[in-house]
């Protein structure tokens, strides 16, 4: 059965077998089915619905038995209902875990990870994440030129801009930033 709804992601940290969701996003806009063009932080969900999803997300990870680490989960949300698509013991890619999550939440999730890796139990339940705004935008090669890429990179509101156009016009190496 196809489940309709908006794709929402949850980023979290785990230590001492306790989990805390620290950032959320919603994917809006698609180039084609399954290929998103923009990810907005935080979500535009109601506080009540967001709290329900965060609570469920924390419970899922704790019940899975993860002792420590970063987590990335995806949910489909329609009206006031949500459905878990996947959850993983990893941070989100494309700069999500190392740039966006620390910025939007104000929490150094890699610090929590490294301290836990060294045997320290971090009280993640006491973390009080911020909800700063961020936008992760994807472009297709045909939608952006080398000239406009460098203009975007120089905008003061652009924290990081990575690019790698595959095809005849290769601009630069894209690092997983």
């Amino acid at each position: 059965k196809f489940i309709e709804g908006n794709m929402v992601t949850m980023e979290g940290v785990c230590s001492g077998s306790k989990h805390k969701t620290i950032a959320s996003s919603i994917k809006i806009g698609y180039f084609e089915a399954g290929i998103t063009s923009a990810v907005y932080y935080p979500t535009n969900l109601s506080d009540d619905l967001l709290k329900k999803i965060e609570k469920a997300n924390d419970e899922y990870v704790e019940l899975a038995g993860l002792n420590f680490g970063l987590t990335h989960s995806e949910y489909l949300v329609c009206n006031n209902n949500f459905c878990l698509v996947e959850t993983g013991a990893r941070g989100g890619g494309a700069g999500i875990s190392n740039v966006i999550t620390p910025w939007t939440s104000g929490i150094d999730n890699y610090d929590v990870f490294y301290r836990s890796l060294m045997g320290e139990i971090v009280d993640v339940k006491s973390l009080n994440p911020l909800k700063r705004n961020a936008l992760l935008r994807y472009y297709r090669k045909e939608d952006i030129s080398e000239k406009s890429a460098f203009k975007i990179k120089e905008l003061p509101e652009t924290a990081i801009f990575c690019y790698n156009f595959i095809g005849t016009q290769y601009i630069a190496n894209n690092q997983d930033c």
Side-chain angles (χ1 to χ4, degrees):
K1 179 179 175 184
F2 180 78
I3 301 172
E4 293 187 26
N6 292 314
M7 182 66 71
V8 171
T9 63
M10 300 285 157
E11 308 302 325
V13 291
C14 187
S15 184
S17 300
K18 299 295 181 190
H19 185 266
K20 176 79 171 196
T21 302
I22 61 172
S24 65
S25 69
I26 188 163
K27 296 180 179 183
I28 297 177
Y30 292 86
F31 294 126
E32 53 190 73
I35 303 174
T36 189
S37 59
V39 183
Y40 294 88
Y41 293 81
T43 67
N44 58 355
L45 301 176
S46 71
D47 286 342
D48 288 342
L49 181 56
L50 183 58
K51 285 178 185 174
K52 285 180 190 175
I53 297 171
E54 288 174 347
K55 183 177 186 282
N57 192 54
D58 293 342
E59 289 175 359
Y60 291 153
V61 174
E62 290 173 7
L63 288 170
L66 184 65
N67 292 326
F68 71 92
L70 304 179
T71 64
H72 172 83
S73 304
E74 297 182 0
Y75 293 84
L76 278 173
V77 177
C78 184
N79 300 319
N80 272 339
N81 298 311
F82 59 93
C83 176
L84 176 65
V85 174
E86 64 122 347
T87 191
R90 63 173 179 83
I96 293 169
S97 64
N98 63 327
V99 177
I100 296 173
T101 299
W103 161 251
T104 60
S105 70
I107 294 168
D108 185 343
N109 52 337
Y110 277 96
D111 179 62
V112 173
F113 174 73
Y114 293 135
R115 288 168 49 201
S116 299
L117 184 64
M118 299 306 293
E120 181 181 345
I121 295 176
V122 179
D123 182 10
V124 296
K125 293 295 189 180
S126 71
L127 296 174
N128 191 19
L130 303 173
K131 292 188 184 217
R132 292 181 180 147
N133 296 323
L135 167 64
L136 176 58
R137 176 85 170 119
Y138 298 97
Y139 298 95
R140 294 180 297 185
K141 178 183 160 192
E142 58 268 20
D143 294 337
I144 191 167
S145 68
E146 183 175 357
K147 185 177 179 180
S148 61
F150 287 106
K151 285 182 181 178
I152 292 170
K153 187 176 180 178
E154 299 303 319
L155 291 172
E157 59 270 16
T158 301
I160 293 178
F161 184 80
C162 301
Y163 45 89
N164 178 5
F165 299 153
I166 299 170
T168 57
Q169 186 183 15
Y170 182 75
I171 295 183
N173 287 330
N174 182 18
Q175 300 146 357
D176 189 16
C177 47

